[in-house]
């Protein structure tokens, strides 16, 4: 079955630095990869996503890259701010009509002021 | 639109009790899912539905039942609660038809404690 591995589990960066979170997936049929941000006690919120026919997508300070050959995708946050501190989850979905999402185990990002 | 709503927000059960976690969405989404979130384990899929009358199992379905009699509602039933079911439960919905892809929107969650 599909498996998604996410690294690192925790990440501390200085304010203004960049943060990178990486995920690998096992099922080559996966073709949709969303990233969610979850603040303490809140629900996961979609921040960016990418489909398998695209190699990179950017939205202001956030970007996601996808390497289909290596089966991994990454979240890049530039110019980090204290409000970026949260847990980030990657996920992979198989667009086969089942719409099942498999999530990574999460990365706790701490931006130090 | 209220989006995805869940009730209750918090519940304490005794081992062996049964209960139903409610989930509703008003976005006319065809896909709905239930996840549980445990520390260090991310979100794990319990059950999901691709439309009214159609449900299927996810990664961790044991001890839970679901039904989808309407597009709007997707209740999750705990048949006989166990301490291992202590978790935060999230309901989510999505629609490929409306958005062109299956972005999921999550409800606020239900925190369940089984004693």
């Amino acid at each position: 079955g599909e498996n998604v591995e996410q690294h690192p589990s925790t990440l501390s960066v200085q304010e203004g630095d960049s943060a990178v979170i990486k995920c690998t997936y096992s099922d080559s049929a996966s073709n949709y990869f969303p990233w969610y941000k979850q603040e303490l006690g809140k629900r996961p919120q979609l921040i960016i996503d990418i489909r398998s026919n695209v190699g990179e997508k950017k939205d202001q300070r956030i970007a996601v890259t996808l390497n289909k050959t290596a089966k991994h995708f990454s979240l890049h946050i530039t110019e980090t701010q204290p409000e970026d501190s949260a847990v980030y989850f990657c996920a992979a979905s198989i667009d086969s009509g089942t719409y099942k999402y498999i999530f990574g185990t999460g990365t706790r990002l701490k931006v130090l002021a | 639109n209220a989006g995805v709503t869940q009730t209750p927000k918090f519940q304490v059960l005794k081992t062996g009790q049964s209960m139903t976690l409610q989930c509703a969405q008003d976005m006319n989404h065809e896909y709905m899912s239930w996840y549980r979130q445990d520390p260090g384990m991310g979100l794990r899929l319990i059950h999901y539905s691709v439309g009214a009358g159609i449900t299927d199992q996810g990664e961790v379905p044991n001890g839970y039942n679901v039904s989808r009699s309407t597009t709007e509602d997707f209740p999750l039933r705990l048949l006989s609660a166990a301490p291992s079911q202590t978790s935060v439960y999230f309901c989510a919905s999505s629609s490929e038809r409306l958005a062109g892809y299956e972005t999921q929107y999550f409800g606020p969650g239900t925190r369940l404690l089984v004693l």
Side-chain angles (χ1 to χ4, degrees):
Chain A
E2 172 71 290
N3 182 50
V4 176
E5 293 188 2
Q6 183 172 347
H7 299 281
S9 57
T10 60
L11 178 61
S12 293
V13 299
Q14 289 294 134
E15 182 178 359
D17 287 350
S18 295
V20 180
I21 302 170
K22 298 181 179 181
C23 289
T24 60
Y25 59 98
S26 60
D27 194 329
S28 57
S30 296
N31 64 359
Y32 176 64
F33 308 92
W35 284 90
Y36 288 84
K37 175 184 180 182
Q38 186 178 31
E39 297 176 347
L40 188 63
K42 300 288 183 62
R43 74 189 80 187
Q45 300 266 19
L46 179 73
I47 56 171
I48 196 167
D49 55 16
I50 192 167
R51 298 186 72 84
S52 59
N53 58 351
V54 176
E56 183 175 359
K57 184 176 178 181
K58 191 173 182 180
D59 183 3
Q60 299 182 346
R61 296 186 297 109
I62 295 173
V64 57
T65 59
L66 172 64
N67 184 327
K68 286 175 58 181
T69 302
K71 291 191 284 187
H72 66 69
F73 55 112
S74 301
L75 177 70
H76 305 254
I77 305 174
T78 59
E79 302 172 17
T80 54
Q81 302 167 2
E83 53 264 38
D84 293 330
S85 296
V87 179
Y88 292 81
F89 292 97
C90 63
S93 171
I94 301 173
D95 188 13
S96 63
T98 64
Y99 299 94
K100 292 171 63 174
Y101 282 65
I102 303 298
F103 281 80
T105 51
T107 296
R108 183 173 300 279
L109 174 64
K110 184 178 293 186
V111 180
L112 307 172
Chain B
N1 285 351
V4 182
T5 58
Q6 291 183 238
T7 57
K9 290 184 179 180
F10 181 69
Q11 182 72 46
V12 179
L13 291 178
K14 294 181 179 179
T15 297
Q17 287 185 313
S18 62
M19 78 160 294
T20 298
L21 279 63
Q22 301 292 345
C23 174
Q25 53 91 10
D26 61 358
M27 299 175 282
N28 200 28
H29 285 176
E30 61 268 36
Y31 310 117
M32 297 186 74
S33 305
W34 275 103
Y35 295 88
R36 59 177 290 172
Q37 185 173 35
D38 303 296
M41 300 190 74
L43 291 147
R44 291 183 293 169
L45 183 64
I46 303 172
H47 285 285
Y48 65 101
S49 169
V50 299
I54 305 170
T55 64
D56 206 346
Q57 297 180 349
E59 300 171 82
V60 288
N62 293 341
Y64 307 95
N65 273 357
V66 292
S67 60
R68 185 95 180 271
S69 56
T70 66
T71 299
E72 294 78 20
D73 300 299
F74 191 42
L76 178 72
R77 280 181 284 277
L78 278 70
L79 310 173
S80 177
S84 60
Q85 293 179 304
T86 294
S87 188
V88 179
Y89 292 84
F90 287 100
C91 178
S93 74
S94 59
S95 173
E96 183 192 33
R97 173 174 48 83
L98 296 178
Y101 48 88
E102 58 275 25
T103 298
Q104 281 198 130
Y105 298 91
F106 283 84
T110 293
R111 189 173 297 273
L112 178 67
L113 175 62
V114 183
L115 302 174

